[in-house]
Amino acid sequence: MNLLPDLPFPKNEPEWAYKPGTPEQKELARVLAGHEVVDIPTVIGGKEYFSKDTVEVRSPHNKSRVVARIHRPTEAQHREAIENAIKSAADWARLPFQSRAAVMMRAAEIVGSELRTRINAATMIGQSKTIDQADPDAACELIDFLRFNVFYAQKLMRENPLSTATAANRIDWRPLEGFVYAVSPFNFTAIGANLSTAPALMGNAVVWKPSEKSALANYIFYQALQKAGLPAGVINFVPADAATMTKVALSSPELAGVHYTGSTAVFRSIWAGVGANMSNYRTFPRLVGETGGKGFVLAHLSADVEALAIALVRAAFEFQGQKCSAASRAYIPKSLWPAVTKRIKERLAELPVGDVADPQTFMGAVIDKASFDRLSARLKAAQGDAEIKVIAGGTASDEVGYFVQPTVLETSNPRHALMNDELFGPVVTVYPYDDAKWPEMFALIDSTSPYALTGSVFSTDPVALHQASQALVNSAGNIYLNEKPTGAVIGQQPFGGMRGSGTNDKAGSWMNMLRWTSPRTVKEAYIAPTQWTFGA
Ligand code: NAD
């Protein structure tokens, strides 16, 4: 029985300002200062397991500070998590939609109120986000995912085929058969919440493997789900070794879907793993993956220089450039470049990098040593590269934490590897182009990088905007006109890309909900035919 609620289009959760001296800012400072090491269990079928086989989580901006210990599952528990999900699936699927939706709406309320400060603080401490980056992610976007998914699911479930005078036709929105494996990245606390709950809302049972680098904040969300009354076993929280858990999940005949966000290379390996196990599955697993990006910014000669410079600074350096949508390559007319450079340098001179607990900080540290080492190597190589000029930044230090200075590079080679590879750090490379070559930029942008996630075009000339938007039709799943390429809002800019950027199933929209249901068509004849002849 699915009684559909009639919920209105939700409002986006408003951000809290956290202005100095406000009660929320004082509370945040108290929670940040009082944070003690959290033991994060594996949770299977509602039972918490502290295996003592632990991995330490350290603060990226203060690498000597341990903030959490993840208790890895034992070998047997990898399989147990799947068995539990399958066991819980039938009861959960039988619950009417409104009961499942109520759990999600309750979780949204809990995150928005009693857990808001804790989940924001955990995102700051564990992932090195400033509060200006943490609240829109760990509170607002997370809450939006929960509420909008409910709205879109109810909308979807109202879709029915044509009925006639002699028969009723309807769609039964069943969950997939088996379990869904959710694998989430470190860079948005909200994404882990969406990857696990979107399939669950549609009636599926889930094994959720969070990133160990965001496990602290992800575990707080899991606690919100428990408080909200999510039945045991519907979402199993398994902060396991990624390769081990994935191998077990992909080799299960009951795998019904993978809901993934992270790097392209890992998604390709998951896809290959599914392919290798294809003959073992009971059903064809749904594969949904939102992956890497190489966001571009294209400026026309008519662009507003101030707006362009601000967009570059914000989109390249907010959260240390660790957004799939970050501005990572830019194409700017040569005649505008000196003015843009001047403004970027002025902004960078006043942009503080440091401990995210300090309200003045704009940029924290990159996530871990591996990321720091990778970025440092690229910066070092850039220093001695004849095709690269360092305009700003270019240095890094890991004395206290993994700090990489906001870096602007200029290249004379538009096909340089820095214009192609996802760096996932605070580095943007700019190709100043001959003003007359505007029409040539479209094919160049389209063919330079394997990704197609985000892009921006800046111009005050509507003809140029239209031209670029048309020519770049397959270069990005989300294109922004006179706006930076980051900051998609649930319900406003459904998000996702193609090519190397993923399956473009638009997280937080009805398109994503559709992937977690396997519709059954039901025809009920009012009077069964009793004649075998046609036309009788
Ligand atoms: P990552 O690929 O390192 O990890 C993502 C997840 O995969 C984690 O849970 C990790 O533990 C797991 N994983 C790692 N190795 C694995 C393996 N061998 N088998 C199975 N799972 C494995 O990515 P990350 O560093 O956490 O996140 C950054 C990446 O995510 C960037 O490439 C970024 O562009 C992408 N991202 C994309 C979007 C989007 O919407 N397109 C959003 C956020 C992040």
Side-chain angles (χ1 to χ4, degrees):
M1 177 188 47
N2 281 327
L3 298 175
L4 292 177
D6 194 7
L7 304 174
F9 194 74
K11 284 200 171 70
N12 291 111
E13 175 71 11
E15 287 173 32
W16 286 7
Y18 290 96
K19 290 240 162 58
T22 56
E24 61 267 22
Q25 188 272 331
K26 286 185 191 158
E27 172 69 359
L28 179 67
R30 193 187 62 74
V31 174
L32 286 171
H35 180 83
E36 286 180 4
V37 180
V38 174
D39 278 288
I40 301 175
T42 292
V43 190
I44 299 172
K47 277 201 208 120
E48 297 186 342
Y49 296 97
F50 294 92
S51 67
K52 306 246 167 20
D53 169 16
T54 56
V55 176
E56 284 178 348
V57 182
R58 287 165 187 263
S59 214
H61 48 274
N62 182 359
K63 60 185 188 174
S64 61
R65 183 179 181 196
V66 176
V67 295
R69 272 184 301 262
I70 297 171
H71 291 256
R72 292 259 193 249
T74 62
E75 216 182 304
Q77 283 167 350
H78 291 88
R79 253 172 275 282
E80 212 179 302
I82 294 171
E83 283 157 17
N84 244 284
I86 294 162
K87 211 166 75 193
S88 314
D91 282 350
W92 176 243
R94 268 196 291 271
L95 266 188
F97 173 75
Q98 74 272 19
S99 303
R100 298 197 303 263
V103 171
M104 304 304 168
M105 297 300 270
R106 215 162 19 244
E109 292 298 301
I110 291 168
V111 172
S113 54
E114 59 178 281
L115 287 185
R116 188 163 186 144
T117 309
R118 265 187 66 206
I119 201 163
N120 280 342
T123 301
M124 294 171 75
I125 295 171
Q127 290 135 270
S128 202
K129 283 199 177 187
T130 60
I131 186 61
D132 294 329
Q133 295 292 308
D135 190 58
D137 162 21
C140 303
E141 187 173 50
L142 189 155
I143 291 167
D144 286 352
F145 268 130
L146 293 167
R147 291 185 181 146
F148 281 81
N149 282 347
V150 166
F151 174 80
Y152 288 126
Q154 67 161 8
K155 189 171 154 166
L156 195 66
M157 288 174 161
R158 289 221 164 77
E159 281 294 318
N160 265 313
L162 185 71
S163 289
T164 64
T166 58
N169 297 313
R170 57 184 181 266
I171 298 284
D172 177 4
W173 297 97
R174 302 170 305 181
L176 311 180
E177 240 187 323
F179 72 99
V180 173
Y181 182 41
V183 183
S184 55
F186 81 84
N187 66 332
F188 281 90
T189 301
I191 292 180
N194 179 52
L195 296 185
S196 54
T197 59
L201 175 63
M202 298 305 282
N204 297 280
V206 176
V207 173
W208 175 19
K209 197 216 74 62
S211 165
E212 66 188 36
K213 297 171 252 175
S214 59
L216 179 61
N218 291 145
Y219 180 51
I220 293 172
F221 173 64
Y222 190 73
Q223 290 174 312
L225 285 174
Q226 290 175 312
K227 276 181 184 233
L230 184 78
V234 171
I235 297 178
N236 298 278
F237 184 78
V238 191
D241 168 71
T244 312
M245 184 66 239
T246 302
K247 194 160 173 237
V248 175
L250 302 193
S251 59
S252 167
E254 305 290 331
L255 181 76
V258 178
H259 202 191
Y260 171 86
T261 299
S263 61
T264 305
V266 168
F267 190 51
R268 286 198 174 119
S269 75
I270 289 175
W271 197 293
V274 169
N277 283 292
M278 207 57 234
S279 53
N280 302 330
Y281 299 130
R282 195 138 69 99
T283 189
F284 290 96
R286 302 270 171 98
L287 303 182
V288 174
E290 301 305 332
T291 59
K294 186 73 182 171
F296 63 82
V297 173
L298 169 64
H300 182 251
L301 198 54
S302 67
D304 175 330
V305 168
E306 188 64 37
L308 176 61
I310 293 292
L312 281 169
V313 169
R314 288 197 56 190
F317 305 132
E318 278 180 357
F319 188 37
Q320 299 80 267
Q322 298 171 121
K323 299 186 184 182
C324 49
S325 54
S328 183
R329 52 181 173 138
Y331 303 77
I332 298 180
K334 275 188 178 155
S335 60
L336 292 191
W337 183 223
V340 177
T341 310
K342 180 172 170 287
R343 281 174 173 80
I344 290 178
K345 282 184 173 170
E346 284 165 5
R347 295 292 86 77
L348 292 187
E350 59 192 20
L351 187 152
V353 179
D355 187 336
V356 294
D358 179 344
Q360 301 305 319
T361 298
F362 181 87
M363 256 181 57
V366 298
I367 193 70
D368 62 4
K369 179 167 164 34
S371 169
F372 179 85
D373 288 347
R374 194 173 36 77
L375 289 161
S376 302
R378 297 303 284 251
L379 294 183
K380 201 165 158 214
Q383 304 278 2
D385 188 328
E387 292 179 333
I388 299 291
K389 191 166 137 196
V390 180
I391 301 293
T395 57
S397 161
D398 62 352
E399 231 171 280
V400 181
Y402 301 111
F403 291 102
V404 176
Q405 290 301 312
T407 298
V408 182
L409 305 173
E410 179 186 318
T411 184
S412 53
N413 174 8
R415 295 202 184 266
H416 194 285
L418 289 166
M419 300 295 275
N420 175 82
D421 307 346
E422 180 179 50
L423 300 186
F424 221 59
V427 182
V428 59
T429 309
V430 180
Y431 172 63
Y433 69 88
D434 289 338
D435 295 7
K437 293 200 171 160
W438 161 257
E440 290 173 33
M441 289 306 107
F442 311 141
L444 178 67
I445 289 171
D446 189 64
S447 61
T448 299
S449 162
Y451 302 104
L453 188 55
T454 60
S456 285
V457 184
F458 278 81
S459 170
T460 52
D461 173 355
V463 176
L465 278 185
H466 180 69
Q467 209 181 18
S469 174
Q470 292 291 300
L472 295 167
V473 65
N474 288 319
S475 312
N478 284 56
I479 192 146
Y480 296 81
L481 308 179
N482 289 319
E483 174 62 285
K484 66 182 169 57
T486 56
V489 177
I490 310 288
Q492 297 185 32
Q493 297 92 25
F495 190 77
M498 326 78 74
R499 297 185 181 165
S501 292
T503 54
N504 199 15
D505 287 293
K506 301 295 187 204
S509 80
W510 59 268
M511 291 167 262
N512 182 279
M513 304 314 295
L514 202 48
R515 301 304 307 272
W516 309 119
T517 177
S518 180
R520 178 174 68 142
T521 303
V522 181
K523 173 180 178 181
E524 182 171 356
Y526 299 136
I527 297 174
T530 51
Q531 301 289 329
W532 68 270
T533 48
F534 292 109

